[in-house]
Amino acid sequence: MPANRHFASRLARALTRLFGGEAGAGLLLILAAVLAMLAANSVLSGAYHALLHAPLPWAPIRKLETAHLWINDAVMAVFFFVVGLEIKRELLVGELSTPAQRRLPVLAAIGGMAVPALIYLAVAGGEPGLARGWAIPAATDIAFAVGVLALLGKRAPPALRLFLLTVAIVDDLGAVAIIALFYTAQLKLAWLGGGAAILAAMALLGRFRVERGWPYVLLAIAAWYCVLHSGVHATVAGVLAAFTIPLKLDHKGDSLLLRMEHALVPWSAYFVVPLFGFANAGVELAGGAGFGALPLGIALGLLLGKPIGILGAILLARAFKLAEPPPASHQQLAGMAMLCGIGFTMSLFIGALAFPGQAALIDEAKLGVLAGSLVSALCGFTLLRFAPQRG
């Protein structure tokens, strides 16, 4: 019995180390994706698709009549709200708060979004109806990429982790802008105006230094509801609502934004994102999606476009004396750039927006995202694991 307790204690400590912190979020996301793939390619396939896509017995919001729609359009708003909080904090008091700090991550993120899009268009853009997917390989999954980096421990220097994080945050801001500008249906101005008015009211709460969270939460839900019916994707409301949360520190060095971020980050990392991964990563491989131009363009965009764009931007910035790269070896920088090719969450999300109502194309896009993200993760991990510690 004591031996059993000793083994159980060691196992508990190992699981805590494994699933705690940044590595845990990435591992849970991988596990959710694997479970989705297994479910979609087994005898559970029918139950998996029925669970997600069958009409709900009762839907309080007509536009959200399936579990899949609730996850993608409602639950994911929490993820985007957390992204908005992180972006605002970094821009005001964090690693993106000065022009000098912003310069290299912004340039690297622009290169890391533009080159994958160009590669995708070169491979798949000529096929009828596929050009709309150009933004799918332009995104980076923060949780997945930072999780893989965390698995490396001291093999990845802190400066490299910080640079990857700032590039991914700028990348997220770009992805949100792309969703708002390029994947918007026909606008309904009355609903859009209602959402804008509510967001303005939230900004006024911040101006008058209202520090209680519940008024912001209620108004954020109302803004989400208006944006859901406006033609702009509802999750954009999450980011915009987060920008209204006050960051001004009190005498204890605390603020409403920091408290909200602290409370919501675990929910986002350990529930929302894995749930989204499980709901969206299930692709039927047998007789389903084929590896044609669409998945090939996405996979090559993530695998080649991301590192070429990011490393190219770093080299150009150094050549023109705009910014210096982070202190790391060339191989470490290459490994970090490869990890940015893990598109997963944001890429799957944009894939569903790019081809609405086209299940076959969405499945092909998922296949490309999964393949490109997996190979990018393995290559990035390998490069960093065996990289020299000094450049």
Side-chain angles (χ1 to χ4, degrees):
M1 195 69 175
N4 289 341
R5 283 201 300 268
H6 182 62
F7 173 76
S9 177
R10 284 190 298 169
L11 180 62
R13 286 197 299 271
L15 289 173
T16 300
R17 287 196 301 270
L18 186 63
F19 286 101
E22 295 166 338
L27 287 171
L28 269 181
L29 186 54
I30 294 170
L31 179 61
V34 170
L35 289 175
M37 291 292 289
L38 290 175
N41 293 276
S42 69
V43 294
L44 297 174
S45 176
Y48 171 79
H49 290 293
L51 174 67
L52 294 170
H53 300 289
L56 296 170
W58 178 71
I61 300 175
R62 186 182 300 176
K63 288 181 69 70
L64 305 180
E65 61 181 9
T66 68
H68 188 264
L69 289 172
W70 272 100
I71 292 168
N72 282 24
D73 291 357
V75 178
M76 277 296 284
V78 176
F79 166 78
F80 280 89
F81 185 79
V82 172
V83 167
L85 294 176
E86 292 175 344
I87 290 171
K88 181 172 182 177
R89 175 175 51 78
E90 292 293 338
L91 287 173
L92 294 184
V93 298
E95 299 300 326
L96 299 171
S97 58
T98 68
Q101 289 175 307
R102 285 193 288 266
R103 194 172 297 129
L104 187 58
V106 168
L107 291 173
I110 291 172
M113 297 182 84
V115 177
L118 291 173
I119 288 178
Y120 172 87
L121 288 172
V123 174
E127 299 287 331
L130 298 189
R132 276 182 58 82
W134 65 270
I136 299 173
T140 293
D141 189 299
I142 292 181
F144 209 146
V146 175
V148 172
L149 205 61
L151 292 174
L152 290 157
K154 294 181 180 179
R155 300 293 303 180
L160 202 66
R161 177 200 171 278
L162 182 61
F163 184 68
L164 183 147
L165 190 60
T166 51
V167 169
I169 287 172
V170 177
D171 189 292
D172 268 355
L173 184 57
V176 171
I178 287 171
I179 291 169
L181 294 173
F182 297 100
Y183 296 109
T184 293
Q186 185 176 359
L187 290 177
K188 297 177 181 177
L189 296 181
W191 283 108
L192 193 61
I198 295 168
L199 290 169
M202 293 181 68
L204 282 176
L205 290 180
R207 173 74 70 175
F208 289 113
R209 299 184 181 179
V210 175
E211 287 293 322
R212 291 184 178 274
W214 65 265
Y216 294 95
V217 172
L218 292 178
L219 288 173
I221 293 172
W224 165 83
Y225 184 81
C226 288
V227 175
L228 175 69
H229 293 83
S230 71
V232 177
H233 199 272
T235 50
V236 174
V239 177
L240 297 178
F243 287 167
T244 70
I245 307 299
L247 180 60
K248 187 175 177 61
L249 302 178
D250 59 21
H251 65 283
K252 296 180 181 179
D254 199 7
S255 74
L256 180 60
L257 186 146
L258 295 178
R259 291 194 298 274
M260 281 190 167
E261 186 179 3
H262 180 74
L264 290 174
V265 161
W267 284 99
S268 176
Y270 293 100
F271 175 71
V272 173
V273 174
L275 179 63
F276 173 84
F278 179 76
N280 288 273
V283 184
E284 292 186 29
L285 300 178
F291 214 85
L294 174 57
L296 183 62
I298 293 170
L300 291 178
L302 290 169
L303 181 61
L304 300 180
K306 276 291 183 179
I308 291 172
I310 290 172
L311 293 175
I314 291 173
L315 291 174
L316 288 174
R318 187 173 190 178
F320 288 97
K321 298 182 179 179
L322 296 173
E324 286 296 315
S329 69
H330 297 309
Q331 191 171 329
Q332 285 173 329
L333 285 175
M336 178 276 302
M338 289 297 307
L339 290 185
C340 288
I342 303 173
F344 205 79
T345 304
M346 211 52 115
S347 292
L348 289 174
F349 193 84
I350 294 175
L353 296 179
F355 307 110
Q358 298 174 275
L361 291 182
I362 291 174
D363 277 352
E364 288 187 31
K366 289 178 183 179
L367 188 60
V369 170
L370 293 171
S373 297
L374 176 62
V375 178
S376 294
L378 292 174
C379 290
F381 182 89
T382 302
L383 282 171
L384 288 167
R385 175 65 181 81
F386 299 104
Q389 296 300 292
R390 296 181 184 275

